[in-house]
Amino acid sequence: MKTKIPLHSKILIGLALGVAWGFISAWQGWPPSFTSNYIEPFGTIFVRLLKMIALPLVLASLIVGVSSLSDVKKLSRMGGKTIFIYLATTVLAITIGLVIGNLIRPGETLPQKTRDQLMATFGENTSKALEGAESLKDISPLQPLVDMVPDNIVSAASNNTAMLQVVLFAVLAGVALISIPREKAAPVIAFFDGLNELTIKLVDFIMVIAPIGVFALMGSLIVDIAGDDPGSAFELLAALFWYSLTVVSGLAIMVFVVYPILLRLFTKLPVGRYFRAIRPVQLLAFSTSSSNATLPLTMERCEKNMGASEEVCSFVLPLGATVNMDGTSLYQGVAALFIAQALNIPLDFTDQLMIVLTATLASIGSAGVPGAGLVMLVIVLESIGVPTSGIALILAVDRILDMCRTVVNVTGDTMVCAIIAQSENALHPPAEVD
Ligand code: ASP
């Protein structure tokens, strides 16, 4: 008899083998080019496959999701609730980040010598990050709102980082479909419904190679960080230990304290069962560092394993993957504090309120792709007068923290999905959860 290994175990095995590969290859001095030429491509293929379906999935599921909310009243009720919880949890996340950041004060633990060294080492990379962010300088903090509106839907839909614009179009199109005669709307909805089913089936196909993809992603990441001197990776990680610890503690509080409390308060879903349902989603978010790439699996697990209705999932989750980033906003709060502390710039209460405002907008504006949060951090730093070149200080650990904050980003989406589903009487967990 064929025993079925659950998806999360397969991903976990891939992840562990990838880490092992990375360390062994660095310690044995195997040429990094082997990993980058023959292993990394499989990780890239896996992520590309996931990204390939992200856009049609967002477009189709949101159009179907919105238009199936039979009337505009139901849409505004569910939309209002969803956006309110998304915003509230984002503000809560930043506040938690700021409180821990003020308690631990990670920036003040960094010796001057290390700071200079990091600045010098990463100055080059920072200028790359800053180049990407150049357009964000000297602009209104409301620019993310302007950027939400596409001026050409075809070009927005051809660019994975313009997902927010596609979301806006899809929501408007969904509302329009409710408002036109049913017989005109039906074929359009049927088309997008079919497209939606098709992309979800593709997820099953792509997940077959998930363990290999995750193995390759982790293996090449470790080899990259370690270079040919594994010690250097450890040194840098140790120097930034307190900063990372602050971010990770904040993220852990969100996942293990805040979300379970909210789930208990607002749903009948047992917390253990919830975590079992979304475990593979968290592992995939960790391995890909991308909410967008994780979205197809998030939708599948929330519907099949958590038991939220298709109607709720297809509205709440694509929206969440794009605009709700509790992990990113928490990280931006801590990072801004850390950089200010490290550069000896005092931040008063008003500055910290400014961080709450700008990090909320910046996290909404961050695309669900790796490293997006780092680029948008520039907006936060600009608003409180902290030199953006300070980003150099945190660059070394950003990739790892990106993986962790992405886990929180997607966990937040699934938690809100459960709450909305419960409030709409559309949460019916299946008997078995693998
Ligand atoms: N990688 C994150 C995500 O996709 C965004 C970020 O960089 O914070 O959710």
Side-chain angles (χ1 to χ4, degrees):
M1 203 183 77
K2 208 174 136 206
T3 46
K4 198 167 165 267
I5 306 175
L7 181 60
H8 72 266
S9 308
K10 288 195 228 160
I11 296 181
L12 211 56
I13 294 170
L15 200 139
L17 289 178
V19 172
W21 170 271
F23 276 109
I24 294 173
S25 125
W27 256 303
Q28 294 296 317
W30 295 341
S33 58
F34 179 81
T35 302
S36 62
N37 287 339
Y38 296 102
I39 295 199
E40 196 175 342
F42 293 99
T44 313
I45 290 173
F46 176 58
V47 173
R48 287 178 80 133
L49 283 171
L50 287 168
K51 285 194 187 156
M52 171 183 85
I53 54 170
L55 197 118
L57 186 59
V58 167
L59 189 66
S61 61
L62 265 180
I63 290 182
V64 174
V66 173
S67 61
S68 67
L69 296 172
S70 46
D71 59 82
V72 180
K73 233 167 91 200
K74 189 169 180 191
L75 170 69
S76 47
R77 187 186 65 222
M78 215 164 95
K81 274 191 290 193
T82 309
I83 290 170
F84 172 77
I85 309 180
Y86 277 162
L87 277 179
T89 47
T90 300
V91 171
L92 181 68
I94 307 171
T95 312
I96 290 177
L98 289 180
V99 170
I100 314 188
N102 279 303
L103 287 177
I104 302 184
R105 308 201 141 267
E108 290 168 13
T109 62
L110 217 63
Q112 188 63 45
K113 201 175 128 258
T114 318
R115 286 182 342 220
D116 294 344
Q117 193 186 337
L118 283 172
M119 276 285 203
T121 316
F122 289 96
E124 216 176 284
N125 287 350
T126 321
S127 53
K128 267 192 223 138
L130 287 177
E131 244 167 57
E134 195 54 37
S135 55
L136 300 174
K137 276 186 143 194
D138 303 325
I139 49 161
S140 147
L142 294 186
Q143 188 60 31
L145 285 183
V146 177
D147 291 338
M148 273 175 66
V149 185
D151 56 1
N152 181 330
I153 187 58
V154 178
S155 67
S158 66
N159 177 357
N160 269 342
T161 58
M163 207 64 104
L164 199 52
Q165 303 187 342
V166 176
V167 166
L168 186 84
F169 173 80
V171 171
L172 288 177
V175 176
L177 283 169
I178 302 175
S179 327
I180 60 177
R182 204 66 201 160
E183 72 277 8
K184 300 269 188 220
V188 183
I189 297 175
F191 168 77
F192 283 108
D193 202 16
L195 184 63
N196 198 21
E197 289 296 316
L198 178 158
T199 42
I200 291 175
K201 190 74 221 161
L202 286 175
V203 181
D204 286 341
F205 296 165
I206 297 170
M207 279 305 135
V208 173
I209 62 155
I212 299 172
V214 168
F215 163 80
L217 287 171
M218 293 307 295
S220 50
L221 175 71
I222 302 280
V223 169
D224 257 5
I225 294 183
D228 41 17
D229 172 16
S232 68
F234 286 124
E235 247 170 52
L236 282 179
L237 292 182
L240 292 170
F241 172 77
W242 285 106
Y243 161 68
S244 308
L245 187 77
T246 314
V247 176
V248 172
S249 324
L251 296 177
I253 291 177
M254 288 306 289
V255 173
F256 297 113
V257 182
V258 176
Y259 295 154
I261 291 179
L262 292 176
L263 276 177
R264 284 202 76 137
L265 285 178
F266 298 109
T267 73
K268 295 200 186 87
L269 185 68
V271 172
R273 182 178 258 252
Y274 161 77
F275 277 114
R276 270 202 304 284
I278 63 153
R279 212 163 22 189
V281 177
Q282 293 179 316
L283 287 170
L284 192 66
F286 184 78
S287 324
T288 60
S289 277
S290 167
S291 307
N292 286 356
T294 313
L295 179 64
L297 186 67
T298 315
M299 293 190 62
E300 183 177 278
R301 297 294 295 194
C302 282
E303 206 182 313
K304 291 204 189 124
N305 303 67
M306 195 171 83
S309 72
E310 190 187 344
E311 190 183 64
V312 171
C313 289
S314 52
F315 176 72
V316 174
L317 295 171
L319 190 69
T322 329
V323 303
N324 182 47
M325 306 216 171
D326 297 346
T328 299
S329 59
L330 185 148
Y331 141 85
Q332 285 171 336
V334 177
L337 266 193
F338 172 77
I339 295 171
Q341 288 164 358
L343 303 180
N344 268 332
I345 301 172
L347 295 180
D348 59 18
F349 188 68
T350 326
D351 289 326
Q352 306 218 9
L353 273 185
M354 196 65 191
I355 295 182
V356 175
L357 177 73
T358 48
T360 303
L361 288 173
S363 72
I364 293 175
S366 301
V369 297
L374 181 75
V375 174
M376 297 303 272
L377 180 60
V378 172
I379 291 189
V380 183
L381 295 179
E382 287 279 317
S383 74
I384 49 169
V386 171
T388 43
S389 55
I391 285 183
L393 288 172
I394 58 167
L395 218 57
V397 283
D398 200 69
R399 187 68 175 85
I400 306 276
L401 294 181
D402 193 3
M403 298 160 86
C404 302
R405 65 190 187 243
T406 308
V407 173
V408 179
N409 290 345
V410 298
T411 308
D413 299 340
T414 58
M415 190 273 310
V416 176
C417 180
I419 293 183
I420 300 291
Q422 184 76 63
S423 75
E424 295 288 321
N425 217 352
L427 185 64
H428 306 291
E432 286 280 311
V433 178
D434 83 30

